[in-house]
Amino acid sequence: MKLFIDSADPKEIARLAATGLIDGVTTNPSLAAKNGMDYVDALKEICASVSGPVSAEVLALDTAGMLAEAKVFARIANNIAIKVPLTWDGLAACRALRADGMMVNVTLCFSPVQAMMAAKAGATFISPFIGRLDDAGQVGMDLIREIRAIYDNYNFDTQILAASVRGIPHVRESALAGADVATIPVDVFRALLNHPLTDKGLAAFLADAKKAGIRIRDE
Ligand code: E4P
C-alpha cells in the first residue's frame, strides 16, 4: 500500500520525506488554512520535496472554474494531482483533465456508487473519507471494502485512496481491505512504528551488550 501524507505543511512533509517512505501528499483547503501559508506557495515547496503525486484541491464549484484553477496548479510541477469534489461538475472536470493527461483525485466520497461514478469518469484516485463516516456512526472501512469489490468486478484502475484516517487501526484495516493508498496525518505517520515490545526488546539488547562489554570491532 502506498503511503501519502495528509498535510499542507511543507516543513513537516520535508522532514517525513527524508524517511524515503512517502509516496505522495494530499492537501485540502482546511489543511491549507491551518498551515496559514499561501496555498500555491505551499504546494510549490511540497512538490520540491516529494516526487509522488501531490493533490491540490480546487475551490470553484463549476467545471469551467475548476479547469481554470487546475491550470494554475498544473504550472506548479509535473507531480500535481488535481483534487475535485464528487459532484457532476467535478466529474466533468475530471474527464476533461484526464483527457489532458492530468492526474485527478476525486474527493469527498461517502458511497460505493459515488466511487463507481468517479471511476467511470476516469479518476486516478478516489478518496473515501473513512474517519468522517465513523464519526457519523457508520463503519467507514465497509466503504473501502465495497469499493474494492466493485472496482475488481469491473477492472476499474482508479486507485482507492483511504482518506480521513484517524489512527493506526485505519491504516491496518485499509491495507487488509486492499486500499491502494492511505493518506495519513503527520502524527499518525510518526506513530506507525510504535510498539512497546520493540522499545522493551531494544532496551534489553543494549543492556545485555553493555553488561557483557560487547563492542562492534572494525577490523
Ligand atoms: C484527504 O484527502 C482528505 O481531505 C482528508 O483526509 C480529510 O480528513 P479529515 O476528515 O480528517 O478532515
Side-chain angles (χ1 to χ4, degrees):
M1 185 169 69
K2 287 177 241 176
L3 301 182
F4 287 8
I5 294 298
D6 199 21
S7 168
D9 182 333
K11 291 198 172 46
E12 277 180 339
I13 291 165
R15 274 194 285 274
L16 296 182
T19 63
L21 299 172
I22 305 302
D23 301 302
V25 172
T26 51
T27 68
N28 65 35
S30 305
L31 291 169
K34 191 172 149 196
N35 177 45
M37 278 177 78
D38 173 81
Y39 192 27
V40 171
D41 286 345
L43 288 163
K44 279 183 192 159
E45 272 192 51
I46 294 167
C47 289
S49 63
V50 174
S51 58
V54 174
S55 289
E57 186 159 343
V58 297
L59 296 175
L61 295 176
D62 62 302
T63 304
M66 290 180 201
L67 295 178
E69 290 172 353
K71 267 193 191 148
V72 176
F73 290 146
R75 282 197 293 267
I76 294 175
N78 288 337
N79 55 328
I80 283 280
I82 309 299
K83 206 171 176 196
V84 300
L86 215 160
T87 59
W88 292 112
D89 280 81
L91 294 192
C94 175
R95 282 170 57 81
L97 291 165
R98 294 295 289 140
D100 270 357
M102 295 293 299
M103 292 185 282
V104 179
N105 177 354
V106 177
T107 190
L108 289 166
C109 173
F110 294 95
S111 91
V113 171
Q114 287 181 321
M116 182 182 73
M117 297 300 278
K120 287 179 72 71
T124 315
F125 302 103
I126 181 69
S127 288
F129 277 35
I130 53 183
R132 292 193 195 186
L133 279 172
D134 288 354
D135 295 344
Q138 289 180 243
V139 179
M141 204 50 59
D142 284 348
L143 178 57
I144 302 282
R145 284 187 273 270
E146 289 181 27
I147 298 172
R148 179 76 280 152
I150 291 169
Y151 283 8
D152 289 350
N153 280 350
Y154 298 102
N155 289 324
F156 285 125
D157 58 10
T158 298
Q159 297 179 51
I160 302 172
L161 194 168
S164 189
V165 162
R166 301 276 195 254
I168 291 172
H170 275 160
V171 178
R172 168 182 169 270
E173 289 176 45
S174 295
L176 286 168
D180 300 287
V181 189
T183 189
I184 305 177
V186 170
D187 55 337
V188 177
F189 187 88
R190 288 193 190 286
L192 287 178
L193 301 191
N194 290 358
H195 199 289
L197 291 180
T198 302
D199 298 340
K200 195 177 163 194
L202 187 56
F205 288 153
L206 292 180
D208 288 345
K210 192 173 177 192
K211 209 156 85 188
I214 293 172
R215 298 246 182 291
I216 298 174
R217 196 156 40 82
D218 186 2
E219 291 184 325

